[in-house]
Amino acid sequence: MKHFLSISDMNTTEIMELLQEADTFSRGEQWKTTEPVFVANLFYEPSTRTKCSFEIAERRLGLELLPFEIGNSSVLKGETLYDTIKTLQSIGVKLAVIRHKQDHYYEQLINHVDLSIVNGGDGSGQHPSQCLLDLLTIKQEFGYFNGLNVLIVGDIVHSRVARSNYEALRKLGANVKFSGPRDWFDPTFLQTDYIEINQGIKEADVVMLLRIQHERHEQSAQFSKADYHIQYGLTLEREQQMKQGSIIMHPGPVNRDVEIASELVEGKRSRIFKQMENGVFARMAILKTILQNEKVVC
Ligand code: CP
């Protein structure tokens, strides 16, 4: 694996191998590079979880992390993504983690640069490292994917998390349904994949809630926070309808009392903070796999 760009590029064996590696890290495996390897994280969109957990993963693996902040770089002087990456490559960076607002931004890079690219999220495209940590959390909980019912609720059409998880979970045999405002359902998915929320909640083993991606809406959202919560949020009443043993997930950042009742964020069913913890292990697995396969390190 030279790059880690999209779940679409991966088969089930590759996904399961990465999950196995991430699970091993979650159990305390130690692995460090034997020689200096320079990496850079370029976040053209805001991030807390992805950026910070990649940084921790990189430090735990002994990588040399180049301090790079978009807002303090020559991007502000008009330097393009391509020229920025070529520059970093020229001075010795071997791997770049990139988040960018443009869908498939990496297509302009992959055939023209030698360094490895890890996608930290592309517009409304994919968020494959989030997907891996979500899969790890589900696997730790249930031990399997085949036949699991997963309900993804919210701003589906703008969500790279929804797209990545839909593809991966279906490859692994899970049943994925969507709910939320009909206007925000992605028409490229099967119409039969949409379910009314009160029905979907009762059937799901995993209820995955999504943030409203205000920054990707052309018009401001048509709901007040309170209206959205009542119509499509995981309210205290809806949580009571969930199956025994079912869990709540959310990629974060969470808007309490909008997509989920505040009391449920740290409640018994919630695996939201477990997801964040697993983010470090998933990202360690991705980085280790690239570095070993590319023979950057032994
Ligand atoms: N889940 C996620 O991508 O969070 P951040 O935007 O904080 O990285």
Side-chain angles (χ1 to χ4, degrees), residues 40-101:
N41 299 333
L42 288 77
F43 279 70
Y44 289 78
E45 286 191 329
S47 169
T48 298
R49 276 144 292 274
T50 311
K51 185 167 186 283
C52 294
S53 57
F54 263 116
E55 280 193 26
I56 290 186
E58 287 154 355
R59 288 169 200 267
R60 284 199 185 167
L61 297 178
L63 296 164
E64 298 281 350
L65 176 59
L66 211 67
F68 189 95
E69 292 299 332
I70 297 295
N72 212 10
S73 74
S74 287
V75 172
L76 297 194
K77 301 176 198 165
E79 190 159 59
T80 63
L81 172 63
Y82 178 79
D83 284 332
T84 301
I85 293 297
K86 286 295 270 191
T87 302
L88 292 175
Q89 179 186 306
S90 306
I91 62 176
V93 170
K94 297 287 185 212
L95 184 149
V97 178
I98 306 175
R99 170 174 287 187
H100 200 281
K101 66 173 190 244

